[in-house]
Amino acid sequence: MASIRTRTVFITGASSGIGRACAHAFAAEGTRLLLCARRRERLEALAEELRIEHGVEVHTFVLDVRERAAVTASIDALPDAWKEIDILVNNAGLARGLDKLYEADVEDWEEMIDTNVKGLLYVSRHVIPGMVERRRGHIINIGSIAGLDPYPRGSVYNGTKFAVDGITRALRMDLVDTPLRVSSVDPGLVETEFSEVRFHGDREKAEAVYTDIDVCTPDDIADAVVYCATRPPHVSVNQIVIMPTAQASSIVKHVGPLK
Ligand code: NDP
Ligand code: 8X3
């Protein structure tokens, strides 16, 4: 295991779920943390928690990754001590709706495409050049089983996560002549705010997704992300697909106790 102590890790969408768990897991390894999301209070509370629990340096900023100009301006405006990003975790993302393509709300599509695909691209485009210049960096994209194996009513969310898979693999080719590494961690069901966001705040519908099935926790996923980041420099963990034991594909899930 390679030490990443004092490395600077930038996590998008750190205010909740997997991003928040990644912040804790990296802090436990002694990294410095650069965290963004749209909800300022959440970020500030998390930063305080990380400083107290792990004694690490944390810098937060509010960012909507869909806003291209804001992405470039906020990264350019980072204090000098935070400009050299070693590990980028492209995590900010969401699903909106669970509908047949021909019945779905087009606004939901725009939000998913703008966040999951364009947001990831804007951040990557602005962070990676510095990594190439310093000949040091690791990009870890949070994809999904939904980006490897589609499911009914998921077409546009599926499409965005298939795009993340394609982008991840092509980027790895673009960087093959550099010391940079590109990984993707592709989870199945993880209990976070994901389903509440998907169902536009309908908690009952969201809770039903995780009822009677022993799903993954955000910490399970963060553990896989830190695994990717702590391999020796000559080892690239290209992809980790990580699901609950009771899930075998996007659509094959076992509800109820295991036999
Ligand atoms: P959560 O809803 O708990 O967290 C999503 C995070 O993304 C929040 O911190 C949110 O912060 C941030 N975010 C959303 N939109 C934006 C935006 N426009 N700009 C900046 N930040 C944004 O869900 P998860 O933790 O589950 O999701 C994290 C990633 O994991 C997503 O990419 C998701 O697709 C992926 N994933 C989730 C799975 C699951 O079952 N939960 C399974 C497979 C993949 P804020 O609202 O404060 O901006
Ligand atoms: C999230 C997993 O199956 O709910 O990417 O789409 S799923």
Side-chain angles (χ1 to χ4, degrees), residues 177-246:
D177 57 350
T178 77
L180 274 64
R181 291 177 287 180
V182 186
S183 306
S184 78
V185 172
D186 299 320
L189 280 175
V190 188
E191 189 161 1
T192 64
E193 292 173 16
F194 178 86
S195 292
E196 203 178 317
V197 171
R198 163 167 259 173
F199 296 122
H200 294 277
D202 185 334
R203 286 199 179 179
E204 212 174 304
K205 238 172 158 177
E207 274 164 25
V209 175
Y210 310 114
T211 302
D212 293 331
I213 177 162
D214 196 6
V215 295
C216 288
T217 68
D219 291 338
D220 297 327
I221 311 309
D223 189 40
V225 172
V226 169
Y227 178 83
C228 294
T230 51
R231 296 311 92 201
H234 68 288
V235 176
S236 171
V237 178
N238 291 350
Q239 182 175 35
I240 296 183
V241 181
I242 176 168
M243 295 198 280
T245 304

Side-chain angles (χ1 to χ4, degrees), residues 10 12 85-90 123-124 127 131 138-140:
F10 177 25
T12 66
I85 296 164
D86 298 304
I87 298 167
L88 165 64
V89 182
N90 274 315
V123 173
S124 302
V127 169
M131 292 177 162
H138 194 158
I139 300 99
I140 304 174

Side-chain angles (χ1 to χ4, degrees), residues 12-21 36-40 42-43 62-67 90-95 111 114-116 119-120 141-146 157 160-161 164 185-198 209-210 215-216 218 221 242 247:
T12 66
S15 61
S16 170
I18 294 169
R20 187 177 195 287
C36 77
R38 292 164 301 176
R39 287 172 289 181
R40 181 189 302 279
R42 293 267 201 119
L43 286 176
V62 169
L63 178 65
D64 184 332
V65 296
R66 294 171 297 177
E67 304 292 335
N90 274 315
N91 165 76
L94 79 179
E111 199 174 349
D114 289 350
T115 310
N116 302 358
L120 177 146
N141 291 334
I142 307 300
S144 172
I145 186 62
Y157 180 67
T160 65
K161 290 297 184 176
V164 171
V185 172
D186 299 320
L189 280 175
V190 188
E191 189 161 1
T192 64
E193 292 173 16
F194 178 86
S195 292
E196 203 178 317
V197 171
R198 163 167 259 173
V209 175
Y210 310 114
V215 295
C216 288
I221 311 309
I242 176 168
Q247 180 176 11

